[in-house]
């Protein structure tokens, strides 16, 4: 009963098979191989537009490298207070962007709201060298709270970004879960809504370790390839990362797996809601359920072998726990969890 | 007939099997898994000493992260002019070490010589803030030229490093090839000879992508784990990197594979030497052969489908080519190459 | 009628005389001169303790260099939302500290409150490499809002800092104004209250350009001198900065000048308070008055030639303006301002 | 008898007078003052072209800030092995340019030679992310060895820089001495010869502390002003630096002072040459004399109170000493030195 994180689960069989297939022959190193060469076509097809795509191995690398490409050292990156780049990457974006500044903004459901964003931007003095300058906005899709920005919400944010000459970055560590929820095309929720660069995650949804940085305008790629190398993120056997990405987006594997994870979260949330004493503030849209329940219930679940994070410190005898489902979470884990919660 | 590089070859079956085995169940992310936990014991055993070991995904990351842990931003890192950190990492060590300076030193066979090292050190003014300060020496073992430092050679260098209060780093991207050649213990050529930190490579010798940073004194680990995360090099599914490393050093796989690559290089060199018009300046010790041959011979080899790097610009009608053998280079490739070279 | 900032005023005659005196002879460059050598004794005397002192030329350099000495690249620096380091230094601390993170905290009167500080610290996960680690607290004394921390307030903050293993930095760009207000010793409000490093400002209070970084524990100096040089902040003719600092703290010049500036601010505030339609939320303690007044009054003042910043956007027909007094603000400027405000 | 360095001498009276004059009134801080505003016209006039000019306080800041503006983090900066940026700035350029790499090149008389430059450039692999990319060449004018590049020599270097898409930076810490020697216009030896950015030094030639960064093409200024602020190099009372620069270039003060220093060096060299046992390898062109003399002669000079640097370790009973003259070196110092050397 592992609900700790989707990255507690391993790799999908299709991913492992793709790695084995890529192992057949010799290949030029450092991404000059045939599999990597195919990625451009595959992702351009997926996003219905000519895109630039670069495989990397972690979400933090994808975020920090793409942001540092978009933002100067004196730039400000607006993001949500709870965003991964703000609280879970040990300052990687600041390191890669040579001391650029993240401006954290509060907002319900882990989402940036347009008015709060405008207020935060207005606090910087444009053209004054004493002040970092508005450079980028970063949104997480799906959010760290299991919610999903609608196309209109992204458009509202990109509109603000544009009006201030800023770029829009999307941390898509759980992009598949967002698209599976929205049932829109990958294009609709990215470049058509004004996104400039996407950290397209595969690791949490069934890859061994594979993320793609996607730029929707080749003019923005800039010195990305040098930054990736300088950060030690160009793999000699890049083909094995590219093979994972290829398999991941082939035959809708990414969406099928995400849809399964989402459905399990929905199912779990629905069942938990019917139990008295459990509150679920936000209906899960992606693959995470945040449930507030009595401390003794938490204890009972632990005893039964359920694994999960306590998201906030206990208050008034109750604790908020986070339950993340994945493409590979067994149905029995859901059943077992519900049995245990009922005691 | 691929002699471009050892990293043109894929992964050993034992490595793929280890990945599949690690995929059996869920596991805590970010290196808190059981496989990663076992690495400390395995590497301590291998090195006959309690060591600290951290899996990363590229050699550049291993080098830059370990060096930046050993060296302050105002430090100097002495290395060979042709070393990977000096010419093939796009300034990654300088980036990770916040502007520390690499001091390149010439030397035959791609090796640092003690007198040249002493001279270079003497040019820095100790205690003068205008000057970067001697902080580390980095040696590549086996070297970029296919040669191998003897235990005594490493001791001579570490003696100099110690006498100036510097640390000794070893770039062991081809450490297995060196140890296989020396037939010494891994301990003899590292900490017993004065090495403080080792980039222990597996990728070039049969892993998908796996390197281990090894510190021989836990007091030197310092803030390595934060630096790794800040660089985006802590993988959520670290277990799959650790599993590769475990398989790699189990049952002497690393040494068996390296010995095979070395033997093929020896064989190739011996056969080439017997051909008139071909010169091999340095007898290969590891898995690379550098051969000087007439340009038309190079052309003939290309036509026959042989793949390799031309290492220097043609001169006097001759070209130096580099031939790298690997654990998986087919015997037929050697035979085919020799047939083609003879025309 | 210049109330824009204290740094709109030039240098005190004593400062210029000291520069002229230091110009008498040749002197060793880069701070190896006699004047600079005297600073240690002078500042140790001033602070009643053996201190380490380093002259630099700007407050931003003093802050960024001292903070980067105290804090690792993965460290968090807690500071007020409105602090100079957070909003007026273009990310200099993050640049010098290699991507460390400033955590801005709200608080009335531009002061950090202990509970808000504790809450902010509790949000970081200690020992988790994903999270930046609590490393330093920075307070501004006097604050950007013209208020002054009491000795007990500083002690409360340093107590929290200590309990979390953090260092306490004080941005003393207007340290003289704070001490003049508190009428305490320089020692009481710094190391005796738990301050580890101080940016001791002289520029705003009558120097040409001179700040001193003071470490109260020599063990904390670390690599400061290399960082200063690497940042381009070691002046060849350091003696001219040191001479300013020497003159500044001799014969209580610093305190006399600050006391005058403070008194003018008090006088101005008192007179303004008696005018209907003007609100002064916080009684000035240092040398800044923040007055809320009708927009037409602001317009009238501008017309009369008064210079000052509008601190917030106009609201409800009123505007908050900032009036800064200095050691050299003419009495007539106060009188002229009051005449103009009355219309 | 101080021949240690030109920066051992203080400030010219004209410089101090300019500071006093700038102190008359209040002025907007951070370079928005009237004196600073005049610099653009003054320097455009001096260089016979519309230039962008920014005052800073140290030569290291001028070099590091201008180079980091011209060069990306993955760029290579070619410079002489003995150049100030390579050996005397503690890695400041690498720090400011976020890990860019300095490529030191040997060359007689501390000058870059075109063939050596071409060879060094050819070693980098253009377009390969593993290799830092040719980005800038930096020359020192006058050199660290007291020699001066001719206009044709600079043109030859800028031709190479241009042909590889690189920028040309000139470290002009002793630019006045070079121009005084060449008797050319400031334009001839800079932009007309292909220089893109100049660190125009005043400190060594009679300022308190003042350098100007000059860009000859406004398109190259880029984000300089943000970098300067982020480095803590924007002075609140910038007017006092600008006033020094204004006085320095007014009425040919800079050239008159440099000419005097140069003439003293010539005189000294000529007299020393006539003494047996003293060798002067390179005729001084700027204000430094390098003399090789018996160790006992060095001892005698020290005893007589002469101050200077020993430039190389003694060899064969002889030592090379460096003698730097300045605008303010007394004639008696020359006479006294010559008397002492003769014993």
């Amino acid at each position: 009963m592992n609900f700790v994180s989707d990255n507690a689960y391993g790799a999908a069989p299709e991913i492992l098979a793709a790695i084995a297939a890529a192992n057949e022959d010799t290949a030029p190193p450092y991404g000059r191989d045939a599999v990597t060469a195919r990625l451009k076509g595959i992702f351009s097809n997926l996003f219905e537009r000519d895109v630039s795509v670069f495989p990397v191995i972690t979400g933090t690398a994808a975020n920090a490298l793409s942001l540092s490409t978009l933002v100067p050292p004196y730039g400000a990156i607006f993001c949500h207070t709870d965003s991964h780049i703000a609280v879970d990457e040990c300052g990687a974006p600041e390191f890669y962007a040579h001391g650029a500044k993240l401006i954290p903004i509060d907002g319900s459901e882990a989402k940036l709201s347009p008015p709060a964003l405008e207020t935060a931007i207005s606090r910087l003095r444009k053209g004054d060298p004493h002040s970092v300058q508005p450079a980028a906005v970063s949104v997480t899709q799906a959010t760290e709270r299991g919610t999903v920005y609608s196309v209109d919400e992204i458009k509202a944010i990109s509109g603000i970004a544009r009006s201030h000459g800023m770029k829009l970055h999307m941390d898509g560590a759980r992009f598949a879960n967002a698209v599976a929820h929205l049932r829109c095309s990958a294009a609709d929720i990215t470049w058509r809504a004004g996104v400039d660069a996407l950290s397209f995650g595969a690791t949490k949804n069934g890859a061994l370790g594979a993320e793609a940085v996607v730029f929707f305008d080749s003019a923005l790629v800039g010195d990305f390839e040098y930054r990736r190398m300088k950060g030690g993120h160009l793999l000699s056997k890049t083909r094995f990362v590219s093979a994972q990405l290829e398999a991941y987006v082939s035959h809708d594997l990414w969406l099928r797996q995400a849809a399964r994870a989402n459905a399990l979260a929905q199912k779990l949330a629905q069942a938990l809601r019917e139990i008295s004493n459990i509150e679920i503030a936000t209906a899960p849209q992606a693959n995470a359920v945040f449930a507030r329940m009595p401390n003794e219930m938490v204890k009972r679940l632990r005893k039964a072998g359920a694994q999960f994070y306590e998201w906030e410190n206990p208050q008034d005898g109750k604790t908020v726990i986070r339950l993340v489902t994945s493409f590979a979470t067994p149905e029995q884990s859901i059943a077992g969890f519900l049995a245990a919660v009922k005691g």
Side-chain angles (χ1 to χ4, degrees), chain A residues 226-298:
Chain A
Y226 292 99
R227 289 183 178 275
R228 182 177 56 175
M229 181 62 218
K230 204 170 179 80
H233 283 289
L234 177 58
L235 278 71
S236 59
K237 299 185 180 174
T238 293
R239 56 170 150 160
F240 294 116
V241 183
S242 301
Q244 294 179 60
L245 290 169
E246 186 179 41
Y248 182 67
V249 298
S250 295
H251 312 300
D252 281 345
L253 178 65
W254 67 301
L255 288 175
R256 284 183 284 125
Q257 300 208 146
R260 182 176 186 277
N262 289 1
L264 290 180
Q266 291 279 0
K267 186 175 170 176
L268 187 58
Q270 222 155 346
L272 289 176
R273 263 204 177 128
E274 284 163 20
I275 297 168
S276 65
N277 276 326
I278 297 187
E279 298 151 53
I280 293 180
T282 313
Q285 298 177 304
N287 61 325
V289 179
F290 290 81
R292 193 161 173 266
M293 58 176 61
N295 296 345
E296 69 260 36
M297 212 180 257
V298 174

Side-chain angles (χ1 to χ4, degrees), chain A residues 94-311:
Chain A
E94 291 97 329
F95 171 55
Y96 274 93
H98 313 300
K101 194 188 276 280
L102 266 63
I103 312 259
I105 303 173
D106 284 334
S108 65
E109 301 191 348
K111 287 185 188 174
L112 283 183
S113 79
L117 177 58
E118 284 281 21
T119 301
I121 296 167
S122 74
R123 290 213 183 96
L124 302 184
R125 285 104 58 200
K126 283 196 204 166
D128 175 356
H130 287 80
S131 173
V132 288
Q133 298 294 304
V137 179
S138 180
V139 291
T140 312
Q141 177 75 316
T143 74
E144 289 79 4
R145 198 74 196 188
T147 55
V148 173
Y149 284 95
S150 70
V151 170
D152 283 347
E153 284 174 326
I154 295 294
K155 279 184 179 166
I157 289 170
S158 73
I160 295 173
R162 282 291 169 284
S163 75
H164 292 279
M166 294 193 286
K167 301 301 173 198
L168 181 56
H169 167 260
M170 181 175 275
D171 175 355
R174 294 190 180 95
F175 184 68
N177 302 92
V179 175
H181 168 76
L182 293 170
R183 293 168 196 271
C184 67
S185 80
D188 288 344
I189 194 63
T190 55
W191 65 271
R192 278 199 199 115
V195 173
D196 295 295
L198 169 70
S199 298
F200 177 92
T203 309
K204 287 181 193 292
N205 190 29
L208 271 189
E211 313 277 313
V213 172
V214 182
F215 289 98
F216 297 104
D217 177 354
S218 64
L220 295 177
V221 170
D223 51 12
F224 182 87
E225 293 193 68
Y226 292 99
R227 289 183 178 275
R228 182 177 56 175
M229 181 62 218
K230 204 170 179 80
H233 283 289
L234 177 58
L235 278 71
S236 59
K237 299 185 180 174
T238 293
R239 56 170 150 160
F240 294 116
V241 183
S242 301
Q244 294 179 60
L245 290 169
E246 186 179 41
Y248 182 67
V249 298
S250 295
H251 312 300
D252 281 345
L253 178 65
W254 67 301
L255 288 175
R256 284 183 284 125
Q257 300 208 146
R260 182 176 186 277
N262 289 1
L264 290 180
Q266 291 279 0
K267 186 175 170 176
L268 187 58
Q270 222 155 346
L272 289 176
R273 263 204 177 128
E274 284 163 20
I275 297 168
S276 65
N277 276 326
I278 297 187
E279 298 151 53
I280 293 180
T282 313
Q285 298 177 304
N287 61 325
V289 179
F290 290 81
R292 193 161 173 266
M293 58 176 61
N295 296 345
E296 69 260 36
M297 212 180 257
V298 174
K299 216 181 279 178
R300 197 160 62 229
L301 284 163
R302 294 257 184 242
K303 214 169 172 182
Q307 293 176 275
F308 50 82
Y309 272 122
E310 294 172 34
W311 209 245

Side-chain angles (χ1 to χ4, degrees), chain A residues 1-9 307-309 322-324:
Chain A
M1 293 193 286
N2 194 325
F3 298 96
V4 168
S5 179
D6 28 14
N7 59 29
Y9 288 82
Q307 293 176 275
F308 50 82
Y309 272 122
R322 185 186 79 162
L323 305 168
V324 184

Side-chain angles (χ1 to χ4, degrees), chain A residues 29-43:
Chain A
Y30 299 113
R32 297 189 303 266
D33 62 274
V35 194
T36 305
R38 288 199 297 267
L39 288 184
K40 191 183 168 61
I42 291 169
F43 275 77

